[in-house]
Amino acid sequence: MMIKNLEQVVGMVLNSFQDPHPRVRWAAINAIGQLSTDLGPELQNQLHHVVLPSLASAMDDVQNPRVQAHAASAILNFSENCRPDILTPYLDVIVGKLLLLLQTGNQMVQEAALTALASAADSSQEHFQKYYDAVMPYLKAILMNATDKSNRMLRAKSMECISLVGMAVGKQKFKDDAKQVMEVLMTLQGSQMEADDPITSYMLQAWARLCKCLGQDFLPYMSVVMPPLLQSAQLKPDVSVTSAGPEDENGESDDEGVETITLGDKRIGIRTSLLEEKATACNMLCCYADELKEGFFPWIDQVTTTLVPLIKFYFHEEVRKAAISAMPELLRSAKLAIEKGQAQGRDKSYLKQLSDYIVPALVEAMHKEPEPQICASILESLNESIQLSGTLLDQNQVRSAVEGVKEVIVASTNRRIERTERARAEDFDSEEEELLREENEQEDEIFDQIGDCLGTLVKTFKTSFIPFFDELSMYLTPMLGKNKSPEERRIAICIFDDVAEHCREAAVRYYDTYLPSLLEACMSENPDVRQAAVYGIGICAECGGSAFRPHTGEALSRLYNVIKHPNALDLDNAMAYDNAVSALGKICRFHRDIIDVSQVIPAWLSCLPIKNDLIEAKLVHEQLCVMLEQSERELLGHNNQYLPKIVSVFAEILCAGKDLATEQTASRMVNLLRQLQATLPPSVLASTWSSLQPQQQLALQSVLSS
């Protein structure tokens, strides 16, 4: 119904494209452009068939350049989130019209056309190769000829368009023109540009896109690119402090390029253009390190000393975010260069030195970061940095990281309590409710990153981490309560799962504290919580020995409930189902002497194969082979009654290729099938074979005969 009404509204606006008055046409096109931004991708994609042809026609309005420019801008808005399969049928017309606009001589129209072409290329990706040969000459002509000061933005937009088209069509198609384009950029880089020249910022971004497109072939240009980039990243904030009067309370400045805040009797002004250039440069440095990997090694020292202090650059969030994101990329670049012998004679001690600089800086920033969203980014980068540093980290650094995590947990918990109080206020409304929901989602992201970070520490240091887990438990156990968010519960369970899996016998002493919560969480309505709980039960069954035995009966009951739930195989529940089946199999294998195997093993077998959690699938299907190799009679059943099921499971797994079993497991299955073929009576084999589907019979015949 909503779509129908929306189509009617859009239809009325599109009819105004034909209005005799240019102002009406222009307003209608603006409305469509704004509507495209507001609708979101799904609704955009449903309305493309009425909007795109009309916008293409509006670009023919040669008497009214403003209408043409706004039509091109609306194409940009509409194509930004358009799927390639939706945009591609209209590209012939759209690209043709935009090329005509590039030749109008009207700068406003040309700039709009360049931006729209860039967006169309970015959205259609490899589908844009068809238009490359027609488009690129026009783009290069503008880049080389738009040299007047009045054409600076036009030239900047041509750089943006060329680099996005290059990324869309790929290295092979673009590489010859790329050399010519980069020669122009290098010449520009070496020239004196005014401080407010937009080309500076556009060129930084164009270089980065060219690097993404060309990969390691970009390395020869880095000596040209890096000096000005580092200079931009090192820009000092232009801050002015003056006395504030009553008229300054609104925090607005007469200068549009200055953002002001009033603190007490002081008025602080910050020039935003410099900060935006600094943020762009920091993002580009992160991009180069990510793209060039070990090739970035020669610049690591300079970039690290530039970016590490910016982790706490509180004048501008984007600068902080870029600096934070770059930290693991710098470590990865160094580690790969050392491993590949491209580190200019440096060894692991250099990686240790780099890690000793980066990891403590991230931990310190985590303590002080005021924005929850950026705190989550710090935790994400810290996690990656710990993965890359591994055991190069010393005990004091681990302790510092754990202390930082504790502080984050406390701060997040306090913010949640404060939000609960806000929700009880008399003036609480739907707008405030939406705001609280978004803020709580940010907290969930923080806890997600805490789980990853602590999980990495557990996997890296194993039993050496146990003393730290002892300290953390008083923070984690409250998170298991039913009154906590699903994400808090899931993370607390996952951290225990990691400790149980990687510390094995040393983790047994925590079972009495955590296992009751895992068993209770098997009944959670949240499938992610259920998955974490049943996975943990499986780990405890495998690693816990006699410590798990008192919990075996209840564990079976809870696992059966997960497996037998009417909606167990729905997409949302499928991962929890697979992990419950895996846990059931581990109880069969490691605690068979205290369960009724004649009931439990057939129940487990009836769930196979599992197909959603591909990691667990490989382990479970390997276990099936082990049990069959050990000739467990409960597996085959009385008079081989379960043999058809086992052969059917093997057939399904082998038909799925490498998804459901490793090559080694697949080979074991084939050998087991050949043994059964050689040892079982022909009548049993015939009966088993006849129970298979035709395609399974063909697959097994093919496998057994090869």
Side-chain angles (χ1 to χ4, degrees), residues 3 6-15 17 32 35 39 43-57 78 90:
I3 295 295
L6 194 56
E7 283 187 355
Q8 288 173 0
V9 172
V10 170
M12 289 166 60
V13 177
L14 292 177
N15 286 337
F17 282 19
I32 286 293
L35 196 60
L39 285 178
L43 290 176
Q44 274 190 22
N45 288 331
Q46 292 183 56
L47 294 173
H48 66 278
H49 62 285
V50 290
V51 174
L52 287 174
S54 298
L55 288 174
S57 297
F78 212 89
Y90 302 97

Side-chain angles (χ1 to χ4, degrees), residues 383-384 386-387 451-461 498:
N383 176 41
E384 286 187 64
I386 293 168
Q387 288 175 2
D452 288 346
C453 206
L454 292 178
T456 296
L457 285 169
V458 172
K459 291 165 193 167
T460 303
F461 295 99
D498 284 332

Side-chain angles (χ1 to χ4, degrees), residues 590-635:
F590 296 103
H591 301 278
R592 58 178 297 124
D593 55 327
I594 58 166
I595 63 171
D596 184 352
V597 287
S598 66
Q599 296 293 318
V600 180
I601 287 181
W604 174 68
L605 187 59
S606 70
C607 299
L608 304 184
I610 57 173
K611 303 174 185 176
N612 295 284
D613 188 329
L614 300 184
I615 295 172
E616 287 302 306
K618 291 179 174 69
L619 296 172
V620 169
H621 301 149
E622 179 187 15
Q623 181 185 333
L624 176 61
C625 290
V626 170
M627 290 171 71
L628 198 58
E629 286 166 349
Q630 292 172 351
S631 302
E632 295 195 16
R633 62 179 183 276
E634 293 86 3
L635 188 61

Side-chain angles (χ1 to χ4, degrees), residues 15-32:
N15 286 337
S16 299
F17 282 19
Q18 311 304 319
D19 194 279
H21 299 289
R23 281 183 177 277
V24 175
R25 297 200 296 278
W26 170 41
I29 290 166
N30 275 350
I32 286 293

